[in-house]
């Protein structure tokens, strides 16, 4: 099938077949990443700007690695120390960057909607690398890839997303992506960490009772408690949160034998997960997710920019 998208911002604009194509392409790039020379000429001559206006480690580094392995030329740009800090508008900054005849912008910003605005004014391909509490499509894609690697499919799986639902841009992309791919989704959190109208999330079930739901789940997706956002905390203490919603060794007996654990990182050990579960040799897929980030970001860049077909295995 063809791939007719110019941007990767909102996965709700993608079909199940198109998402599957990204995951299948990521799997083809897996062979590239597991050989000694991990580089292909697929996007040689293309220029990608990484505009990260908010701190990031995993997302930024995996995009940079993906670009290098595709032979892109990259320019790393951040709001800190740039003309943006001196008061230049987003509009002028984007037009300045586009004057270099670039091909794509990968953007992360603390403000929701910035990637779409850049897509509207730039004329180049835009990939959303996380915007505010809004969306994070490549995170959702690497999560889908990780889940599919374990089970061979996504359709029909029971996925539970646990934690700070209301502040999570991960949820903004992951929940609709899981639904498009046929999974059944439950969100599990105290009422104070849910949006005022949880039904707008489009999930199948909402629960505040982790221990009741845990035995049903094929995938236990633990969200990071965003401590930087918790002034006037929506729960009494982190210790109490951990007792009710932390995934610990004491809860493992409630899990299905084959159930896996995912987490977008970075982990707050002792809050969302204890060391036993975070490092579990068979259940924890957290490092697999990190690796999948490189693969799906290579796939997304390749498909969006129309790289040469023979460039995947060259």
């Amino acid at each position: 099938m063809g791939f007719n998208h110019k941007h990767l911002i909102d996965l709700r604009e993608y079909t199940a077949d198109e998402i599957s194509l990204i995951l299948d392409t990521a799997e083809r790039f897996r062979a590239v990443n597991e050989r000694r020379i991990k580089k292909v000429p697929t996007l040689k001559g293309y220029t990608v700007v990484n505009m990260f206006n908010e701190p990031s480690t995993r997302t930024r580094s995996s995009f940079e690695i993906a670009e290098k392995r595709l032979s892109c030329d990259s320019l790393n740009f951040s709001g800190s120390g740039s003309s943006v800090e001196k008061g230049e508008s987003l509009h002028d900054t984007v037009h300045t960057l586009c004057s270099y005849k670039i091909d794509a912008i990968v953007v992360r910003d603390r403000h929701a909607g910035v990637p779409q605005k850049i897509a509207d004014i730039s004329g180049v391909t835009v990939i959303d690398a996380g915007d505010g509490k809004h969306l994070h499509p490549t995170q959702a894609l690497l999560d889908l890839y990780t889940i599919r690697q374990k089970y061979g499919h996504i359709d029909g799986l029971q996925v539970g997303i646990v934690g700070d639902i209301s502040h999570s841009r991960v949820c903004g992309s992951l929940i609709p992506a899981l639904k498009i791919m046929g999974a059944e989704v439950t969100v599990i959190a105290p009422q104070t960490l849910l949006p005022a109208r949880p039904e707008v999330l489009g999930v199948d079930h909402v629960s505040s009772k982790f221990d009741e739901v845990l035995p049903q789940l094929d995938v236990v997706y633990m969200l990071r408690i965003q401590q930087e956002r918790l002034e006037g905390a929506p729960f009494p203490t982190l210790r109490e949160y951990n007792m009710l919603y932390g995934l610990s060794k004491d809860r493992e007996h409630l899990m299905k034998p084959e159930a896996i654990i995912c987490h977008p990182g970075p982990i707050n050990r002792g809050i969302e997960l204890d060391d036993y579960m975070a490092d579990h040799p068979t259940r924890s897929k957290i490092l697999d997710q990190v690796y999948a980030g490189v693969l799906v970001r290579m796939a997304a860049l390749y498909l969006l920019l129309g790289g040469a077909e023979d460039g995947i295995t060259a």
Side-chain angles (χ1 to χ4, degrees), residues 113-132:
V114 167
Q116 185 60 58
K117 184 175 182 181
I118 291 174
D120 292 341
I121 64 178
S122 70
V124 303
T125 288
V126 173
I127 299 178
D128 183 348
D131 61 321

Side-chain angles (χ1 to χ4, degrees), residues 130-148:
D131 61 321
K133 295 184 285 185
H134 189 215
L135 301 171
H136 198 352
T138 57
Q139 175 70 49
L141 289 169
L142 71 87
D143 296 333
L144 295 181
Y145 181 91
T146 303
I147 294 167
R148 196 177 73 163

Side-chain angles (χ1 to χ4, degrees), residues 146-168:
T146 303
I147 294 167
R148 196 177 73 163
Q149 284 295 109
K150 162 66 179 179
Y151 288 105
H153 64 96
I154 298 167
D155 184 48
L157 293 178
Q158 297 283 336
V159 181
I161 304 175
V162 186
D164 192 357
I165 309 296
S166 60
H167 290 118
S168 175

